[in-house]
Amino acid sequence: MSEYYRWQNPSKTNRFSYCQYPFILSIVAKKTILQRDSEQQMILNARIAKKQNDLKKKLKVTFIGEPGLDMGGLTKEWFLLLIKQIFHEDYGMFVYHSKSRCYWFSTAQMGNLREYNLIGVLMGLAVYNSIILDLHFPTLCFKKLLSPPVVPQDVDRNPVGMCNITMDDFTQVMPDVAVGLKELLSYEGNVEEDFCMNFQVSVEEFGEVKTHVLKSNGHDIVVNNENRFDTND
């Protein structure tokens, strides 16, 4: 996440940054931060938008201080090291669910599509170079990738990755939560009195519990026998 983003959106980031308190920074420091941020944005845009054709060239990898020709082993090692870093919790892009033994997207990164797009480009580059990556995603991800099976040319006007998510799909990611939801939906007693729930959910990510409202004013709406099936916002 860029320092400028932290500066402009202090309420949307959970990590400490001096840019959240610009009054303690000098003019020189502010200038340096803005300059570095603009450089990073230009580099990122160049990687994604301006050099698409270069991605189809054969990838050759060399490690500094390690002589040798890349016959495929160095490229594979580079991808493995890169993927390991991307999925590390310090990067904050993916959350590992131990019970399902798979990764899912972090809710803390909602709206950060540019970096996810870059990760997708890297994974596609690995496939293009015949590199097998050890990625533990639920089949729901492949279901979204195949919706539609062929990506339309005008992706801005055509929905891509939109699919109907079922309870079985959710079970692949959070099986324990899915069991509780199934019990709630099939419960024959008084849901409001016995469950004492509202339309919000708490999720733990990286050791921190965050609460998300499931619908407008969900924290004030009690779940009962009638509205427990409600899927509308």
Side-chain angles (χ1 to χ4, degrees), residues 41-65:
Q41 294 295 328
M42 287 187 289
I43 292 174
L44 189 59
N45 286 328
R47 289 175 177 173
I48 296 177
K50 297 182 180 179
K51 295 187 178 181
Q52 292 291 337
N53 293 331
D54 290 342
L55 297 178
K56 294 186 177 181
K57 297 178 180 178
K58 181 64 176 178
L59 185 64
K60 295 292 184 181
V61 175
T62 58
F63 288 94
I64 298 177

Side-chain angles (χ1 to χ4, degrees), residues 155-189:
V155 295
D156 294 330
R157 297 185 178 181
N158 295 277
V160 176
M162 303 300 294
C163 61
N164 294 325
I165 300 178
T166 65
M167 184 64 73
D168 291 335
D169 295 326
F170 184 70
T171 303
Q172 297 176 17
V173 183
M174 299 181 180
D176 49 343
V177 179
V179 170
L181 287 175
K182 291 179 180 178
E183 292 179 352
L184 172 66
L185 295 176
S186 62
Y187 189 67
E188 297 181 354

Side-chain angles (χ1 to χ4, degrees), residues 45 93-94 166 199:
N45 286 328
M93 300 296 291
F94 298 96
T166 65
F199 282 90

Side-chain angles (χ1 to χ4, degrees), residues 102-167:
C102 69
Y103 285 94
W104 193 245
F105 304 91
S106 171
T107 58
Q109 299 291 338
M110 292 180 62
N112 195 8
L113 299 181
R114 178 169 291 182
E115 289 199 20
Y116 279 115
N117 182 72
L118 180 57
I119 293 173
V121 170
L122 291 172
M123 293 181 181
L125 187 60
V127 174
Y128 189 77
N129 285 269
S130 302
I131 302 297
I132 298 177
L133 301 176
D134 186 22
L135 301 177
H136 297 268
F137 280 120
T139 55
L140 173 59
C141 285
F142 299 97
K143 183 177 180 180
K144 293 179 69 64
L145 286 174
L146 294 175
S147 301
V150 179
V151 178
Q153 292 183 350
D154 190 357
V155 295
D156 294 330
R157 297 185 178 181
N158 295 277
V160 176
M162 303 300 294
C163 61
N164 294 325
I165 300 178
T166 65
M167 184 64 73

Side-chain angles (χ1 to χ4, degrees), residues 12-107:
K12 295 183 180 181
T13 157
N14 297 316
R15 298 182 180 180
F16 173 80
S17 172
Y18 284 106
C19 289
Q20 297 174 2
Y21 309 95
F23 57 88
I24 66 175
L25 300 174
S26 65
I27 297 297
V28 176
K30 294 177 182 178
K31 178 184 177 182
T32 302
I33 291 172
L34 292 175
Q35 182 179 357
R36 293 292 176 84
D37 183 80
S38 63
E39 291 174 354
Q40 292 296 321
Q41 294 295 328
M42 287 187 289
I43 292 174
L44 189 59
N45 286 328
R47 289 175 177 173
I48 296 177
K50 297 182 180 179
K51 295 187 178 181
Q52 292 291 337
N53 293 331
D54 290 342
L55 297 178
K56 294 186 177 181
K57 297 178 180 178
K58 181 64 176 178
L59 185 64
K60 295 292 184 181
V61 175
T62 58
F63 288 94
I64 298 177
E66 297 184 14
L69 298 176
D70 183 11
M71 305 300 293
L74 294 180
T75 300
K76 183 176 182 179
E77 182 180 357
W78 180 77
F79 271 110
L80 292 177
L81 292 174
L82 187 62
I83 292 299
K84 182 179 180 180
Q85 184 65 29
I86 289 175
F87 281 84
H88 196 280
E89 64 177 19
D90 289 344
Y91 197 52
M93 300 296 291
F94 298 96
V95 178
Y96 181 73
H97 296 276
S98 57
K99 293 189 177 181
S100 60
R101 292 184 294 182
C102 69
Y103 285 94
W104 193 245
F105 304 91
S106 171
T107 58

